Amino acid sequence: APMPEVRLILISGARWMRERTPELQALFPKARIVEFYGASETSFMAWMDADALAPPHAVGKPFSNVDIDIREPKTPAGVGQIYVRSPMLFMDYVGPATDHTAAVRDGEWLSVRDMGYVDAQGFLCLVGRENRMLVTQGKNLFPEELEAVLMAQPGVHSASVHGLPDPIRGQQVVAVVQLNLTEPSPTAQQLAEACRAQLESYKVPKRFLMCTHWPLTASGKTDHLAVAKELACLPPLL
């Protein structure tokens, strides 16, 4: 039943599945639903009211005390590394920051290695993490975009996209999928057709693997590194 007592919902941590916004609004008819984008190192960066019709990559407009800079943008969309300047940046890590995912500083500016662009309406648009970018058929692919499409399909609970060595393409796109056992399971062909309907052909996975054991990080998110290690143990793709 609807819960009119709830007045505010904040969504963070992972990209909200915007096609489900009407369902959320129906469940909480008097609540303001706000998405925000940030990181542990940066705190709040951008925000927006949840809107099912918002651009798919948009994560909002910067907070009033936050400046955004897109470094080394590439055409046509102007995608580059996102740098932020704000009074809410963290001081530093405890111990040496040797992890390849660690934030990088440039004076007052900081980047957590996310890649994105600012669109014509001023929305910050997030395409993925620099360290997860794949190059297939000579083109850049950010797994997060493909994972969002897969997780929007009925019967799919989680998805993790990776690139495996391919003598022709450089990297072959492989999708590892965790199925929702309470719903009918989609076939690999159905998933490929759904991807093909929404994405360029080079982004469509050439191979789908269904997984029952799903590794998670300490914060409860998909452990993509653990999935990649499992993939590395598979026989070479033909």
Side-chain angles (χ1 to χ4, degrees), residues 188-200:
Q189 182 178 352
Q190 289 172 326
L191 293 177
E193 290 173 353
C195 294
R196 198 171 292 113
Q198 300 182 53
L199 303 168
E200 297 94 327

Side-chain angles (χ1 to χ4, degrees), residues 157-213:
H157 184 273
S158 301
S160 185
V161 172
H162 300 268
L164 293 182
D166 184 282
I168 297 175
R169 301 175 181 87
Q171 287 183 299
Q172 186 171 118
V173 182
V174 177
V176 184
V177 175
Q178 181 189 34
L179 299 176
N180 185 343
L181 299 181
T182 63
E183 301 179 35
S185 299
T187 64
Q189 182 178 352
Q190 289 172 326
L191 293 177
E193 290 173 353
C195 294
R196 198 171 292 113
Q198 300 182 53
L199 303 168
E200 297 94 327
S201 60
Y202 75 92
K203 297 179 180 178
V204 179
K206 306 303 178 190
R207 189 178 184 184
F208 290 88
L209 298 172
M210 308 303 176
C211 181
T212 52
H213 167 70

